[in-house]
Amino acid sequence: MFDLHCHIIPCIDDGAGSLSEAVKMAALAASGSTRGIVCTPHCNIPGSYKNYWAPSLNTVISLLQQELDKNSVPVTLYPGQEVYLGSDPTELIRRGKLITINSSRYMLAEFHPEESFSQAFRLAGILLGLGIVPIIAHPERCGFISEFEDAAEKLKKLGALFQINKDSLFGLFGRGAMQTARALCEKRLADFAASDGHSPYRRTPCLRDAHEAVSELCSLEYADFLFRSNPLRVISDKEIFPYRG
C-alpha cells in the first residue's frame, strides 16, 4: 500500500517528535504492508505551521530515508505537503513555496472544518485553473460535505479528488465523520484512504485494519483502489479515473 498523507517528518509539526519516532512510524507502516509514504507536513496555516517548501526539507527527507534504509525498514519516502487552503494560493505556488506530491499534478489540500462550500469550491477551482488537481484531505471532517447533500458530487464534477482518513472509518473523529467517511466509500466517491499518521502510538500510520474495513464495507477491489492503485498513480503522476468496479 501507499500512504498519501502522513506527518512523519520529525520535529516540524504535530507529527513525529523525533527521528526515532519517525523510524518507528515507518516500521509500523511497513508491518501493515505499506511500501511508500508521502511526507505531508502541515503547511500554510495562518498563525501556526508555515513549513513553506525549501531545500532543507528535501534534505531532512533524504536523511530520514537513509535512517530507514540503515534500519532495514522497507518504506520509500516521497515529498509533499498538506496545504491549508484559506485564501488564494497562486502566488505561493508560483514562488515554489507550495508543492505537489512528488512533483506530480496532485496537491494534498486541507480546508478548515467550518469553511463554506462556496469558498472551498472557489479555491479548488483556482488550483485546477493552475493545472493542479486538489486531493481534499479528510473531507469527512468538512462541515460542507455533510451539510449539503450534493457538495461532494459538485466538487468531484469540478475535478477535485477525496482522501478519507483511516481513523475516521472507526469513529476516532466522531460519529458524524465516521458516517460521512463510510458514505463516501459506499457511494464510491472516495478516491484514496490514507493514515494522516502523527505518531507510532496514536493516529498511527498502519493501514491494514482500514484496508480490511473497506473490504468488508464495500469490496476488496475498492479497498485496493483506495489504498494501492490510486495512490501509486498519484506518486507516478498518472491520471486518476472514477472507480468502475
Side-chain angles (χ1 to χ4, degrees):
M1 290 184 277
F2 296 86
D3 191 353
L4 290 186
H5 185 174
C6 190
H7 299 268
I8 195 171
I9 300 180
C11 307
I12 193 172
D13 59 8
D14 59 346
S18 65
L19 180 60
S20 63
E21 276 199 358
V23 173
K24 287 179 182 178
M25 287 176 68
L28 185 59
S31 74
S33 299
T34 295
R35 293 295 173 259
I37 293 176
V38 180
C39 304
T40 54
H42 289 294
C43 167
N44 197 43
I45 301 178
S48 183
Y49 304 110
K50 294 297 185 182
N51 287 331
Y52 294 132
W53 192 254
S56 58
L57 286 174
N58 246 341
T59 300
V60 172
I61 294 173
S62 295
L63 291 173
L64 178 54
Q65 183 70 68
Q66 291 173 23
E67 196 69 15
L68 299 187
D69 296 342
K70 185 171 72 174
N71 286 275
S72 300
V73 179
V75 167
T76 300
L77 302 177
Y78 303 93
Q81 294 170 315
E82 182 181 13
V83 178
Y84 181 88
L85 287 184
S87 59
D88 188 337
T90 301
E91 184 58 28
L92 288 171
I93 291 171
R94 287 176 176 165
R95 290 165 52 198
K97 299 297 184 181
L98 306 180
I99 67 166
T100 57
I101 293 173
N102 200 36
S103 300
S104 69
R105 75 195 77 175
Y106 302 99
M107 177 178 284
L108 186 67
E110 176 185 27
F111 291 110
H112 190 280
E114 298 179 5
E115 184 62 271
S116 68
F117 173 67
S118 60
Q119 176 74 337
F121 192 88
R122 184 182 77 86
L123 293 171
I126 288 173
L127 287 183
L128 288 158
L130 295 171
I132 296 172
V133 179
I135 297 175
I136 299 177
H138 39 69
E140 70 274 10
R141 291 161 57 188
C142 295
F144 58 79
I145 293 292
S146 57
E147 289 170 13
F148 300 99
E149 185 175 352
D150 60 349
E153 287 85 353
K154 285 183 175 179
L155 280 165
K156 293 297 294 288
K157 186 175 181 180
L158 180 68
L161 302 172
F162 291 156
Q163 172 259 303
I164 62 169
N165 275 10
K166 59 113 174 178
D167 284 333
S168 294
L169 295 167
F170 304 109
L172 183 65
F173 299 104
R175 184 173 180 81
M178 179 178 70
Q179 291 175 334
T180 301
R182 287 176 170 254
L184 289 171
C185 287
E186 289 170 341
K187 295 176 182 178
R188 305 304 192 265
L189 291 174
D191 302 285
F192 314 92
S195 74
D196 193 3
H198 278 66
S199 163
Y201 313 113
R202 60 176 185 83
R203 294 182 65 177
T204 75
C206 187
L207 294 174
R208 177 178 288 150
D209 288 352
H211 183 277
E212 292 174 356
V214 174
S215 296
E216 293 176 6
L217 180 67
C218 300
S219 69
L220 174 61
E221 291 76 17
Y222 187 57
D224 284 344
F225 177 82
L226 297 183
F227 289 91
R228 292 195 171 101
S229 59
N230 263 5
L232 184 56
R233 294 187 73 83
V234 167
I235 291 167
S236 304
D237 195 24
K238 295 181 179 178
E239 188 172 356
I240 300 296
F241 299 100
Y243 181 73
R244 299 299 185 194

